[in-house]
Amino acid sequence: MLTRAAALTAVGAAASLAVAQPALASQDTSTLDLPTVNMEAVLKAAQIDPRRPDTALTPGSKESVLLVEQALADRGLLAAQYVDGHFGTSTITAYAAYQKSLGYTGLDASGLPGPTSLAKLGADRFTVTNVVSAGTRVSWRGVTVNTRTKAMVLAAEALLGRTLSFTQGSYNTGVGASAGTHDGGGALDINVSGMTSATRVTVTEKLRRVGFAAWVRTPAQGDWGYHIHAIAISDPDLSSGAQHQAGDYYLGLNGLANKGKDDGPAVEKVTWEEYQRG
């Protein structure tokens, strides 16, 4: 026999169901039969594929990239021979041309898909899932970053048990030594003053664990002092230079012009979104 509390709960559940059913019945089903494009997969391919020495495909990205490439080809922006699931330099160029056709300039026309341009490209063709957003720009600890990058740093700090400071942030143009990597979002230089060599490596390792392509930079490598250079993988606001570094990181390289072997700590390479999912 139901208690009063149980009976009220059952009535409430039934009432909720009765309310919910008409809403489901009236739902717009116009997009239910469209294929889906996984933005996370497309972004990863757009960073890695242009840096490959061949036309290999980024695992898990083929079907989504094909849909994007076919949409670009149908607009006359990409030759049919490049509709192959490989988001290489030709696809980057085509996507940049598409972004410019929307009136975008600068970072918004780099060839790296953003949530708005991807949704517009897919109108009546595909829907976009696993949307990645850079968030808004904020001033934080003396530099400019976006909220996605800030959240990533805070997660790395939680693993480290220490607070980090920065010598350079994001959206910082005109820094010659950085080769444009800080022009867009997702880029940071970490201050290593007072850190031992072992601590620098530990900080780099934790940054990598939450989704940064990160390396300890030394004076022997360029015109700079010791610091940790970090690029937030798959940030939609990455500059072209930062996109290249993220791709090189996945391919086991050091992100420098000499394309040397990655000299950082070995970790599983993940994006911020993948880290959050565990």
Side-chain angles (χ1 to χ4, degrees), residues 63-190:
E63 297 307 318
S64 291
V65 171
L66 279 172
L67 287 167
V68 171
E69 289 177 327
Q70 187 60 63
L72 293 171
D74 289 349
R75 284 170 169 76
L77 299 172
L78 184 66
Q81 70 191 83
Y82 297 118
V83 181
D84 55 5
H86 173 84
F87 209 115
T89 55
S90 295
T91 306
I92 287 285
T93 299
Y95 201 94
Y98 167 65
Q99 290 169 319
K100 290 173 184 175
S101 76
L102 297 176
Y104 298 161
T105 60
L107 284 176
D108 295 327
S110 69
L112 188 67
T116 303
S117 64
L118 196 57
K120 288 183 177 180
L121 182 67
D124 299 322
R125 302 183 64 103
F126 57 76
T127 58
V128 182
T129 65
N130 295 79
V131 175
V132 180
S133 172
T136 58
R137 299 185 194 187
V138 295
S139 179
W140 185 50
R141 298 181 189 172
V143 299
T144 299
V145 296
N146 59 46
T147 50
R148 180 178 185 267
T149 302
K150 179 180 177 180
M152 293 171 66
V153 172
L154 290 173
E157 289 178 338
L159 297 177
L160 284 164
R162 68 182 293 158
T163 300
L164 301 174
S165 62
F166 318 116
T167 58
Q168 189 176 175
S170 305
Y171 308 104
N172 190 9
T173 60
V175 182
S178 297
T181 56
H182 288 264
D183 288 2
L188 283 172
D189 282 346
I190 312 296

